[in-house]
């Protein structure tokens, strides 16, 4: 409990304020009057009561977004004015970055240092990057052959965007979706994850402070199968941008089909991290550890399948074991913590189930496999050696600090095995050989390949998956495609 005393005054004041739904720039009580507990996974204690939006609340929010789309001038506003609002928001986020970091850390267990120096600065940079795009969205003129015509395209905002986000990077996920949608001229209803709604609510306060017109951004906290489902079904919503599990992504896609609501889906992964014999082993080992243990392994792109070439297998394993046992597991708000708790009891139980299952399928746990301390949902960094492709831990996304280490012999073998997955989000390749690097990078069926690095992200670099990892690219200029429709215009030039 004592860690709460270290929270900044801004965070403590925020925690004291009641948490409503942001609709039309007002904080409203949910129509049902219902709230739910927000739990700190480091201590299992409740630190806030969160408004539980129902269908009717979501409809109010979607209506506000629809009205704002047409009436607030948002999509007809001068693009540089839209960009200026985003810049103002980024400046406010910068002023309040300590609070934003503390809120994610408190809510879902992200180590405070990672939040403060990693995800929060990335989120701020993302808003500024997208602010710049507001003035650079252009169509093209097209030479047509059928006659004397001027033909050109317009990129128009898709309308009301429903953004449904997960709990693993609460602020960053909110900002990925919000800032691209707003730059494109869309209005938004954001549904944060029920496990980690605080930074989104604080962001909503900053959005009001930045002066955004009413209804441009609305935030409905609530449960997935209530508020989330209502949003994906709403006829007022033109597009759903979702990040989360593959199973929920499939449900959302089915629901969205009713109204032909556009969807983009960033889903799960089981990403391979491939270490060749000629790799720089010092870099490869620390990259493999960071690849799987960053944010407790609660990352859609976690490098959860570590393939190691036979000649260096024992050596790499030994280094992985040695270094992972040094990772400090503890309260997320402690600045010396390298790995916090997993997000919830549900995840805690699920991850332990995977570890037990691996044992019964013949997996050898060489480090971890245990819980760290009973105060919160702590699981020690866990490494399973000699995993084979048929084991559950080699196939299913665990979303926890569990690495499956596997041995391979040849380059084509490892490509085939890496690709033999339902998922296709990201991959890492460790080699000093430029031909191996490009050969493997081209052959992998994934959205992102990191060579001699892992988990590097930039607002300018497109991000998204293939296969069961979803479709659509967030970040980079491709993100704007998610929030725009192309219109083609023909002008007859004959007199
Ligand atoms: P996880 O299993 O990692 O919690 P989910 O895919 O369940 O991820 O959740 C991601 C987001 O989707 C959360 O905001 C959650 O509330 C929401 N969600 C869950 N179920 C549904 C649903 N049936 N329809 C729409 N959104 C949902
Ligand atoms: Mg929480």
């Amino acid at each position: 409990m004592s860690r709460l005393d270290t929270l900044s005054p801004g965070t403590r004041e925020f925690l004291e304020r009641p948490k409503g739904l942001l609709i039309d720039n007002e904080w409203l009580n949910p129509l049902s009057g219902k709230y739910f507990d927000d739990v700190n996974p480091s201590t299992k204690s409740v630190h806030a009561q969160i408004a539980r939006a129902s269908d009717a609340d979501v409809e109010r929010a979607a209506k506000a977004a629809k009205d704002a789309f047409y009436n607030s001038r948002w999509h007809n506003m001068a693009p540089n004015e839209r960009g200026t609002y985003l810049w103002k928001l980024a400046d406010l986020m910068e002023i309040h970055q300590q609070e934003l970091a503390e809120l994610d850390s408190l809510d879902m267990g992200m180590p405070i240092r990672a939040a403060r120096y990693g995800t929060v600065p990335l989120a701020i940079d993302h808003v500024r990057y997208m602010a710049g795009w507001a003035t650079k969205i252009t169509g093209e003129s097209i030479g047509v052959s059928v006659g004397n015509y001027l033909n050109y395209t317009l990129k128009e905002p898709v309308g009301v965007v429903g953004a449904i986000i997960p709990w693993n990077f609460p602020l960053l996920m909110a900002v990925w979706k919000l800032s691209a949608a707003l730059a494109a001229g869309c209005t938004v209803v954001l549904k944060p994850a029920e496990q980690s709604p605080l930074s989104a609510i604080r962001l909503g306060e900053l959005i009001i402070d930045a002066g955004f017109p009413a209804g441009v951004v609305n935030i409905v906290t609530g449960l997935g199968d209530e508020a989330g489902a209502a949003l994906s079904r709403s006829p007022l919503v033109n597009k759903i941008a979702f990040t989360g599990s593959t199973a929920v992504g499939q449900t959302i896609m089915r629901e969205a089909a009713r109204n032909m609501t556009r969807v983009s889906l960033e889903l799960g992964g089981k990403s391979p991290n491939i270490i060749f014999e000629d790799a720089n082993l010092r870099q490869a080992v620390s990259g493999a550890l960071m690849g799987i243990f960053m944010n407790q392994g609660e990352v859609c792109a976690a490098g959860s399948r570590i393939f190691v070439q036979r000649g260096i297998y024992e050596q790499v394993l030994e280094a992985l074991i040695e270094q992972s046992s040094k990772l400090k597991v503890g309260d997320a708000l402690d600045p010396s913590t390298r790995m916090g708790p997993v997000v919830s009891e549900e995840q805690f139980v699920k991850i332990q189930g995977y570890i037990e299952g691996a044992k019964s399928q013949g997996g050898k746990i060489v480090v971890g496999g245990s819980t760290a301390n009973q105060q919160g949902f702590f699981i020690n960094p866990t490494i399973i050696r000699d995993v084979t492709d048929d084991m559950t831990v080699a196939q299913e996304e665990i979303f926890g600090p569990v690495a499956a280490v596997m041995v391979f012999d040849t380059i084509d073998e490892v490509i085939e095995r890496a690709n033999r997955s339902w998922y296709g989000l990201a991959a890492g390749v460790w080699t000093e050989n430029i031909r191996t690097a490009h050969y493997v990078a081209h052959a992998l069926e994934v959205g992102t390949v990191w060579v001699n690095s892992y988990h590097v992200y930039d607002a300018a670099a497109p991000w998204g998956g293939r296969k069961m990892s979803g479709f659509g690219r967030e970040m980079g200029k491709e993100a704007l495609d998610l929030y725009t429709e192309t219109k083609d215009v023909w002008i007859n030039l004959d007199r």
Side-chain angles (χ1 to χ4, degrees), residues 23 57 92 97 101 107 140-141 147 156 162 173 211 232 254 320 383 401 412:
I23 299 175
D57 294 309
L92 290 174
Q97 56 184 315
D107 239 359
E140 54 189 355
S141 66
E156 298 182 342
M173 293 299 105
S232 56
R254 267 193 301 273
L320 288 171
I383 295 178
D412 289 311

Side-chain angles (χ1 to χ4, degrees), residues 60-292:
R60 287 198 291 175
K63 175 132 191 343
K66 198 86 188 175
D67 291 346
F69 183 73
Y70 291 111
N71 304 335
S72 81
R73 310 184 297 115
W74 186 250
H75 84 277
N76 292 321
M77 184 180 279
N80 65 355
E81 218 183 314
R82 279 205 305 272
T84 303
Y85 281 110
L86 286 168
W87 270 101
K88 266 191 219 156
L89 175 61
D91 290 346
L92 290 174
M93 288 170 72
E94 191 158 24
I95 293 169
H96 296 282
Q97 56 184 315
Q98 178 66 22
E99 286 162 60
L100 292 167
E102 287 171 355
L103 291 176
D104 275 356
S105 192
L106 185 65
D107 239 359
M108 59 65 63
M110 184 184 299
I112 183 70
R113 284 180 63 84
R116 178 66 178 74
Y117 301 105
T119 60
V120 171
L122 269 179
I124 295 167
D125 191 55
H126 199 93
V127 177
R128 293 199 172 118
Y129 172 85
M130 286 298 170
W133 272 115
T135 49
K136 294 163 198 74
I137 298 171
T138 55
E140 54 189 355
S141 66
I142 298 167
V144 289
S145 307
V146 290
N148 189 17
Y149 291 97
L150 168 64
N151 186 293
Y152 64 91
T153 58
L154 295 169
K155 290 286 183 188
E156 298 182 342
V158 65
V160 174
V161 171
I164 303 177
I165 59 170
W167 45 260
N168 61 337
F169 292 102
L171 180 72
L172 192 61
M173 293 299 105
V175 153
W176 276 15
K177 289 174 172 36
L178 272 178
S179 44
L182 295 173
C186 297
T187 57
V188 182
V189 180
L190 172 68
K191 209 299 274 175
E194 51 271 46
Q195 296 85 347
S196 58
L198 293 181
S199 60
I201 296 171
R202 186 72 186 104
L203 187 69
E205 294 181 344
L206 299 179
I207 283 169
I208 294 179
D209 294 346
F212 278 78
V216 170
V217 178
N218 306 276
I219 301 176
V220 286
T221 49
L223 308 183
D225 52 10
E226 285 178 6
L231 199 54
S232 56
R233 273 198 302 266
S234 170
L236 297 174
V237 172
N238 302 93
K239 189 231 155 59
I240 293 284
F242 173 75
T243 299
S245 62
T246 296
V248 172
Q250 289 172 312
T251 304
I252 285 177
M253 202 167 159
R254 267 193 301 273
E255 294 295 322
R258 299 173 193 228
N259 303 307
M260 211 50 76
T261 306
R262 280 82 179 104
V263 289
S264 51
L265 304 171
E266 207 259 273
L267 309 174
K270 191 76 197 176
S271 297
N273 204 353
I274 305 170
I275 308 177
F276 286 93
E277 280 164 2
D278 69 350
N280 173 330
L281 291 191
R282 188 185 50 78
Q283 282 189 352
V285 166
S286 66
L289 288 169
M290 190 261 293
I292 181 61

Side-chain angles (χ1 to χ4, degrees), residues 245 267-270 299-301 350 354 395-399 423:
S245 62
L267 309 174
K270 191 76 197 176
V299 187
C300 50
K350 194 176 136 202
Y354 275 114
Q395 298 182 354
E396 294 184 12
E397 181 176 53
I398 299 173
F399 228 65
Y423 295 113

Side-chain angles (χ1 to χ4, degrees), residues 363-381:
K364 294 185 208 107
I365 317 274
V366 286
V367 72
S370 49
T371 55
N373 111 26
Q374 298 306 311
Q375 270 225 324
F377 304 119
F378 294 98
I379 295 182
N380 281 315

